Amino acid sequence: MSRLPTGGLIDRTKPLAFSFDGKRYTGFAGDTLASALLANDIRLVARSFKYHRPRGILTAGSEEPNALVTIGRGAHAEPNTRATTLPLFDGLEASSQNRWPSLDHDLLSINGILSPLFVAGFYYKTFMWPAALWEKLYEPLIRRAAGLGALSMEPDPAEYDADHGFCDLLVVGAGPAGLAAALAAGRAGQRVLLVDEDVRPGGRLLAERHEIDGNSALDWVDATIAELASLPNVRILSRTILFGAYDGGTYGAVENGRRLWKIVARRAILATGAIERPLVFAGNDIPGVMTASAVQAYATRWGVAPGKRIAIFTTSDSGLKVAADLAAIGIEPVTVIDARDGMLVTRAIGGKALKAIELSDGRRIAVDTLAMAGGWNPSVGLGCNLGARPNWSEAIGAYLLDSPPGGMIMAGAAAGAFGLGAAIASGIEAAGGGMPVPATSEDPSGSRPLWHVPHSRGKAFVDYQHDVTDKDVALAAREGFTSVEHMKRYTTLGMATDQGKTGQVNGNALLAIATGKTMSEAGTILSRPPYLPVSIGVLAGHHRGEHFKPVRHTSGHAWALENGATFVDTGQWKRAQWFARPGERDWLETVSREVTATRTGVGICDVSTLGKIDVHGPDASTLLDRLYVNIFSTLPVGRARYGLMLREDGFVMDDGTTTRFAEDRFYVTTTTVNAARIMQHIDFARQVLWPELDVQATSVTEQWATYAIAGPRSRALLAKLLPDLDLSNEALPYMGAMEFHWQGVTARIFRLSFSGEMAFELAVPAHHGDRLIRALFEAGRVLGVAPYGTEALGVMRIEKGHPAGNELNGQTTATDLGMGRMLSRKKDFIGRVMAARPALVNPARPTLVGIHPVDPARRLRAGGHLLAKGAAPVAANDQGHVTSVCYSPTLGHWIGLALLANGPARHGERIIVHDPIRDGDTEVEVVNPVFVDPEGVRVRG
Amino acid sequence: MRIPCPFCGNRDTQEFVYRGDASPTRPDTDEAMHDYVYLRDNVAGPMREHWYHAQGCRNWIVVTRDTRTHEIISAEFPR
Amino acid sequence: MKRFSIFSLAANALSGHRKWAPTWRDASPRPGYDIIIVGGGGHGLATAYYLAKVHGITNVAVIEKGWIGGGNAGRNTTIIRSNYGLAGNGPFYEWSMKLWEGLEQELNYNAMVSQRGVLNLYHSDGQRDAYARRGNAMRMHGVDAELLDRDAVRRMAPFLDFEGARFPIQGGLLQRRGGTARHDAVVWGYARAASALGVDIIQNCEVTGFVTDNGGAITGVETSRGTIRAGKTGIAVAGNSSRVAAMAGLRLPIESHVLQAFVSEGLKPVIPGVITFGMGHFYISQSDKGGLVFGGDIDGYNSYAQRGNLPVVQDVCEGGMALMPMIGKARVLRSWGGIMDMTMDGSPIIDRSPVDGLWLNAGWCYGGFKATPASGWCFAHLLATETPHETATAYRLDRFATGDVIDEKGAGAQANLH
């Protein structure tokens, strides 16, 4: 056991049991999985992606590239979890990834022997012959070897939620700079949100030994947190990853992996710290080689000696501090190698564990742990999300974001203020000052980058997870991939789960050396969200399963449910599709019955989902004249008219009936799916195109419940329900409408027919809709009233040749639909000019016709294409397609509507419906699309 | 992005529907209609554009926004 | 050009890989060329390659303002397919698919063309029939298409949500020959082959204006690296088409929009091919490195920023969870954005421009990657012969004036609806 007898921010009174690869171990509350593994002497925790090299824990933070494990089992399994940031909990089950049969003996490490072949980009140069084998053999093998963790194939059982935060100041990072900034701003009365990814605030102060105002820095941390917690205008979110900066001061964060935060901040301070660089020398990936700050953290924060014989290889004062902190708790480093004195580690030696190091003076020293202090990279990534580029600073040997976007400011180590005093001062200043800078112990931060150890023989790693070595970078340069972007893509450096946090800068430097550029000239990659990986589940939240999109019900929904309706989705609405009765064989039988019942008796359909818009004002009719192809200003009060709207490009946008209730009041209807679009269109017309018109428009789709009552007995039914209303042809002619009162509520009745039968539509305010539908069915009981759904509605409109959604598909013109004569020649309207373009008036265009199979027993399907008889089934002979079909119980066979080239001139011709993807070919006859009652006698009653 | 709706104040663009460039004006002549419907400046820089506050006041507003940086410069009613 | 193969790889391994040469010549501009292609992405490089290979025109320069493939070619989600319905599109995309199928052998570069199928799911009768219409059109163009019912989809992708979905899956349209290709490799493969045939690839060279003669015809380009003369100039600059066209005084029926895309951490294989959701904008595939590559709709507002905002991120993830709830534990690793040039009918433009000497290849919306080989082939054909290739005759700029728009979605003259 490597656990130190005392010390660490762990609770030794709370032991926790966990397992790794099936073996059981113990840790303490406050441990991470990584610190607990190290405490139990487990050094080998993973295998690298390509070569399957043994890998150990490299860091103590979220930049960790190696120690990825899968936790949990079955549907709860979470692959690719970083052991370094996973808080240990009782019962944790973790397993290593990407190895077979075991971590210790991974057969795929044979890849290592082939490593001279498996250099960067090797796969572009091979796997091409024979061609057939790429997909049959090579690629499946590559895919099986790829990836680290595995998804359980089960639905994610976790529950997620979301929250919103608004603040004056967002502070990202609760290290010394962030805590100081939050305190200064909090005391000044600003609304502050302090977000930190660790389980407790403190940042590096939890892992390093410092003094603030003469006491342990941890006391300052505790006091600061206590004061922040007492301020009502300050909120601290721990275990929260601030993953992205977006436009408009919007930020995304995930708390505890389960709650998505959308934060809007007037200003933000990025006190995101810095990440230590590994050094590049042969064997730098052997388990036991770690960053110095990690060695320091495991010892100080978690009371774990990462090894018994520890050496430190440093280019920075921080490495010397690590030595001092270790000595302070009784761990004397075996040796300290300071590159600035000219001494280098040229090789680390070992297989599954570090055994020794070789130095540049030829000495070999036996060690089991090597702490690398390669300098610090300020974590500027978040500040670059909006496109700002960091610049190389020779002074500190790192990239700095000197021009962050407006509203963002860097502080602390993230701004290059590496020493403790400087960091705290920087935080206070970023928050606007107003707080004295406490006295702090000395914390020198000098450093001189060492990008590459020369004469180092063996694999020296730059990107640990993707097995990218220094030689790969040189190879990329040699092959012409001389920009950092190309080098990244060619070598895959920086594309692993750590997104280059430990490797990008080293890689950039090696590329600069290989191409003879300075670091400034070489540039770097822009960081994009998410800063740390964020689960798809939390980003989706509870919009999943049934709750993916809202469900919209009409007022008649409950009644329909009680009466056995089967529902269909129309947009977000649930509409009754049919109402099956016991004993009916299938939907076809049900729907046919509903059609027949309506055409011979009376049927009722809920049509509440159609869009409805109230247009009123002195210029209402003028506006409608400009929107519709036909004229509405001549529409008498108390009358409805069918209207067609075009897009400005001349194609049909939508149709509906519009009723005039007063000189200055119109009631516009739209199709269900276009309701919102037409509302926007009407508002655009009156607010932007013609603001001089005095007209208002209000969406009333949800305000009215509307039912269609259709069939020869429809008038009789309504007479029973509305005995005081004059429903005669004189009082309420076809296409007439009137307002009245029903049981004290405003009601409207329209004599409209989509079915071709004598029919009415009855509308009441939506919250009376349930009452009305029940009253209608009560009134119709003795008349044998039947409810009908969208399928029967569809059958009847096809029988009448009415175009609907399938024909109004955005690719058809008014003429295509047989409505060319509706286009007024007396006025301008939206779409008029473009509708006259040559291709839109070409008579050879596919135009609306009716079809029925020559063999009446044959079924039709929408989506078949049309061919002249005897024509080869190729695109050149394509003459259109079938848009809508149904079985017509009225006629006793299937019928359809289709768009056929030159259609109206071809009635009586026999053509082929070509449907190779389903039923094959069917011979049909082209006919008038109005199959039933072409004279339109029945509607007029 | 957040749009300063003249009626409703700063709101996330999620509440709005985007249409496009606000500079083309519906022409009086038939000849100019093709360009109005189809051609666009599509500038890389500040542009005036139409947004509809569908989940708010249902007004069309003209927003001036830089298409390179997404910075929103102003928002006003159409006329 | 030295041939790549397992043998050359092994031979080079023995010499420590020190003998590899640059993949393409990083050329310096010469005073003039027969043809200049502005834009060093997949389309521009493919055009240059086919000019040299098919038409024997090698006095060609590809001028790229940054590093080749740094634009949309390096930012797409790698999908290739030819499942288009309208007559103007069918032959073109199928020609592209055929070129994909022979590309690696043609270029001697492994672009990892992988035809594991593209499955478009449908969730209603209306969608089914619309897909049937499209599938039948594909068949009539000689393209493979199958309409699967629910059970067949379930056998293919059992991890999809068939139980608790808000919009249950009813089936799908499958193109088995559709799939993916490695986008960077396509760029580098074309660059290598074109360069070996003598094409000059000039990087870090931004076009700042055009040189014209007295008649107003384009005779060359002004660049950050000097003036370069050209017999003909073709532009293939994707989302920057309007900016470059404006230098010649042209306005195009194009708006530039951001399309976000995402990749997850590497996972063992779970997604066999490409799957698209029918009730929300979401599509997904899995790269050979194990990352799930997915995306959805454009953000919807004009943008040159190559990044988008949170609402789309949420929408895309909601679509993913609605389609395959197992994906919840996968983590988004990185997001990025490209600049789509969205045309007013959703279909591309390969045509001469109204200005003499200037030729256009633009308007690829979010479908440019799959078109790369045919776009290059057809643009090369146009530049070389001054007539459109037979598969691209519909991609005329004047189709908006004549009304011969190619509008697969039926969305009309609003760029962000396509």
Side-chain angles (χ1 to χ4, degrees), chain C residues 76-402:
Chain C
N76 56 74
T77 49
T78 77
I79 296 171
I80 63 176
R81 57 185 173 86
S82 55
N83 56 359
Y84 283 75
L86 297 183
N89 280 326
F92 174 84
Y93 284 98
E94 178 56 17
W95 177 229
S96 203
M97 183 58 80
K98 293 211 161 56
L99 289 171
W100 281 117
E101 287 170 331
L103 194 68
E104 288 146 349
Q105 279 64 37
E106 170 83 11
L107 299 179
N108 180 231
Y109 204 84
N110 190 1
M112 301 177 184
V113 173
S114 174
Q115 295 172 281
R116 280 169 288 114
V118 173
L119 177 65
N120 305 128
L121 297 172
Y122 63 79
H123 308 257
S124 70
D125 289 351
Q127 263 191 322
R128 173 202 64 205
D129 293 338
Y131 281 172
R133 177 189 169 195
R134 178 143 64 95
N136 284 326
M138 288 162 67
R139 292 279 195 97
M140 293 171 80
H141 278 112
V143 180
D144 61 311
E146 295 166 52
L147 201 63
L148 305 185
D149 64 14
R150 203 184 118 104
D151 289 339
V153 170
R154 194 166 201 157
R155 281 193 296 276
M156 212 173 158
F159 48 82
L160 299 176
D161 189 0
F162 291 95
E163 305 308 327
R166 172 71 177 83
F167 300 111
I169 296 167
Q170 292 190 18
L173 177 68
L174 174 66
Q175 186 188 17
R176 287 192 196 272
R177 284 165 62 241
T180 57
R182 178 124 177 84
H183 51 349
D184 292 323
V186 174
V187 170
W188 299 334
Y190 271 118
R192 173 169 169 262
S195 181
L197 291 173
V199 170
D200 275 4
I201 297 175
I202 304 164
Q203 295 175 111
N204 296 302
C205 183
E206 179 168 358
V207 169
T208 54
F210 289 105
V211 181
T212 56
D213 67 15
N214 291 338
I218 305 286
T219 56
V221 291
E222 308 277 14
T223 78
S224 53
R225 292 173 74 173
T227 305
I228 311 173
R229 288 185 333 265
K232 288 179 187 155
T233 305
I235 67 174
V237 294
N240 286 308
S241 300
S242 296
R243 298 169 81 177
V244 177
M247 295 176 194
L250 289 174
R251 293 169 82 215
L252 297 176
I254 287 175
E255 286 184 7
S256 295
H257 283 265
V258 57
L259 180 66
Q260 297 189 58
F262 308 86
V263 67
S264 77
E265 298 173 318
L267 296 163
K268 292 298 175 195
V270 283
I271 313 254
V274 180
I275 301 176
T276 75
F277 185 34
M279 283 309 288
H281 281 107
F282 177 81
Y283 54 90
I284 189 167
S285 64
Q286 189 166 19
S287 78
D288 285 345
K289 283 214 303 293
L292 303 178
V293 180
F294 57 99
D297 202 3
I298 53 175
D299 270 41
Y301 43 84
N302 283 29
S303 171
Y304 286 92
Q306 292 179 315
R307 59 182 169 74
N309 279 289
L310 258 183
V312 164
V313 179
Q314 290 178 279
D315 277 351
V316 168
C317 289
E318 287 172 15
M321 287 299 282
L323 190 58
M324 47 182 82
M326 70 166 182
I327 212 183
K329 297 285 189 211
R331 296 195 201 97
V332 180
L333 181 60
R334 187 174 171 89
S335 66
W336 62 92
I339 311 173
M340 310 292 109
D341 46 345
M342 304 296 291
T343 53
M344 289 300 196
D345 65 356
S347 298
I349 299 165
I350 306 178
D351 199 3
R352 59 180 57 209
S353 82
V355 177
D356 275 341
L358 187 65
W359 305 75
L360 299 176
N361 177 326
W364 293 96
C365 302
Y366 44 78
F369 180 65
K370 70 181 76 67
T372 302
S375 169
W377 184 285
C378 292
F379 201 32
H381 185 280
L382 181 66
L383 288 163
T385 68
E386 301 194 6
T387 61
H389 186 256
E390 59 182 354
T391 63
T393 53
Y395 293 151
R396 301 166 58 103
L397 182 57
D398 70 354
R399 68 178 185 265
F400 301 96
T402 60

Side-chain angles (χ1 to χ4, degrees), chain A residues 116 135 139 478 529 534 811 837, chain C residues 17 114-115 332 335 400 407:
Chain A
E135 257 174 55
E139 194 189 25
R478 198 174 305 130
V534 170
Q811 299 166 340
R837 287 180 289 171
Chain C
H17 293 287
S114 174
Q115 295 172 281
V332 180
S335 66
F400 301 96
D407 189 348

Side-chain angles (χ1 to χ4, degrees), chain A residues 466-519:
Chain A
H466 275 181
D467 277 335
V468 180
T469 65
D470 55 348
K471 293 202 172 58
D472 289 322
V473 178
L475 174 62
R478 198 174 305 130
E479 294 202 79
F481 298 99
T482 53
S483 70
V484 291
E485 280 290 346
H486 278 164
M487 186 264 296
K488 170 185 169 181
R489 287 155 185 278
Y490 190 64
T491 65
T492 75
L493 188 158
M495 295 177 74
T497 63
D498 63 318
Q499 289 288 289
K501 290 182 179 62
T502 53
Q504 190 69 57
V505 177
N506 286 344
N508 295 347
L510 290 173
L511 184 67
I513 292 168
T515 55
K517 293 189 200 150
T518 64
M519 286 300 278

Side-chain angles (χ1 to χ4, degrees), chain A residues 203-246:
Chain A
R204 288 296 304 163
L205 294 179
L206 302 174
E208 298 174 7
R209 304 171 71 84
H210 295 285
E211 281 187 2
I212 299 179
D213 281 337
N215 295 320
S216 156
L218 291 175
D219 291 344
W220 178 87
V221 171
D222 288 342
T224 305
I225 294 170
E227 186 176 343
L228 288 171
S230 76
L231 292 172
N233 52 316
V234 175
R235 182 165 180 176
I236 304 177
L237 292 178
S238 288
R239 272 208 91 181
T240 301
I241 296 169
L242 201 302
F243 66 79
Y246 296 92

Side-chain angles (χ1 to χ4, degrees), chain A residues 87 145 347 358 371:
Chain A
R347 194 154 78 106
E358 273 178 9

Side-chain angles (χ1 to χ4, degrees), chain A residues 171-393:
Chain A
V171 179
V172 185
L179 283 170
L183 190 58
R187 283 181 181 171
Q190 295 185 45
R191 280 182 311 164
V192 179
L193 193 53
L194 173 61
V195 172
D196 185 66
E197 61 172 285
D198 208 336
V199 297
R200 54 190 289 180
R204 288 296 304 163
L205 294 179
L206 302 174
E208 298 174 7
R209 304 171 71 84
H210 295 285
E211 281 187 2
I212 299 179
D213 281 337
N215 295 320
S216 156
L218 291 175
D219 291 344
W220 178 87
V221 171
D222 288 342
T224 305
I225 294 170
E227 186 176 343
L228 288 171
S230 76
L231 292 172
N233 52 316
V234 175
R235 182 165 180 176
I236 304 177
L237 292 178
S238 288
R239 272 208 91 181
T240 301
I241 296 169
L242 201 302
F243 66 79
Y246 296 92
D247 293 310
T250 307
Y251 297 83
V254 172
E255 181 185 3
N256 213 8
R258 293 285 186 266
R259 177 176 297 138
L260 173 68
W261 280 88
K262 285 169 79 168
I263 297 166
V264 180
R266 288 215 164 81
R267 287 195 317 128
I269 294 177
L270 305 189
T272 40
I275 293 174
E276 191 166 39
R277 292 190 287 254
L279 288 159
V280 182
F281 55 89
N284 65 345
D285 71 320
I286 298 171
V289 180
M290 307 172 70
T291 58
S293 53
V295 170
Q296 185 181 36
Y298 288 118
T300 309
R301 180 171 173 180
W302 287 293
V304 175
K308 297 187 174 46
R309 295 181 53 81
I310 302 176
I312 298 175
F313 179 21
T314 184
T315 65
S316 318
D317 290 341
S318 62
L320 303 176
K321 168 101 177 104
V322 172
D325 280 4
L326 289 175
I329 55 173
I331 305 173
E332 204 58 52
V334 163
T335 181
V336 177
I337 303 124
D338 194 328
R340 296 171 291 181
D341 298 331
M343 190 67 71
L344 305 173
V345 170
T346 53
R347 194 154 78 106
I349 297 162
K352 290 185 206 150
L354 182 66
K355 297 267 182 320
I357 50 175
E358 273 178 9
L359 306 187
S360 45
D361 62 3
R363 278 184 290 154
R364 177 186 280 225
I365 305 181
V367 295
D368 62 9
T369 304
L370 177 64
M372 305 181 286
W376 293 86
N377 292 327
S379 295
V380 299
L382 211 51
C384 301
N385 285 171
L386 299 182
R389 286 203 169 266
N391 290 314
W392 182 255
S393 160

Side-chain angles (χ1 to χ4, degrees), chain B:
Chain B
M1 292 191 298
R2 296 180 69 77
I3 293 178
C5 172
F7 263 151
C8 308
N10 283 344
R11 299 297 185 89
D12 194 283
T13 47
Q14 248 185 317
E15 296 185 10
F16 297 79
V17 173
Y18 183 83
R19 184 187 165 97
D21 194 343
S23 26
T25 336
R26 191 168 191 273
D28 295 324
T29 65
D30 289 4
E31 293 69 39
M33 187 59 78
H34 164 272
D35 288 10
Y36 166 71
V37 173
Y38 286 111
L39 298 186
R40 293 290 180 267
D41 294 329
N42 194 23
V43 297
M47 79 179 266
R48 296 175 69 244
E49 51 190 22
H50 281 127
W51 293 80
Y52 178 69
H53 200 176
Q55 290 174 32
C57 57
R58 297 213 188 181
N59 275 289
W60 282 96
I61 59 179
V62 176
V63 175
T64 303
R65 182 179 63 92
D66 191 318
T67 58
R68 294 164 305 184
T69 62
H70 297 171
E71 183 203 347
I72 291 180
I73 297 153
S74 68
E76 55 207 5
F77 290 125
R79 259 180 261 198

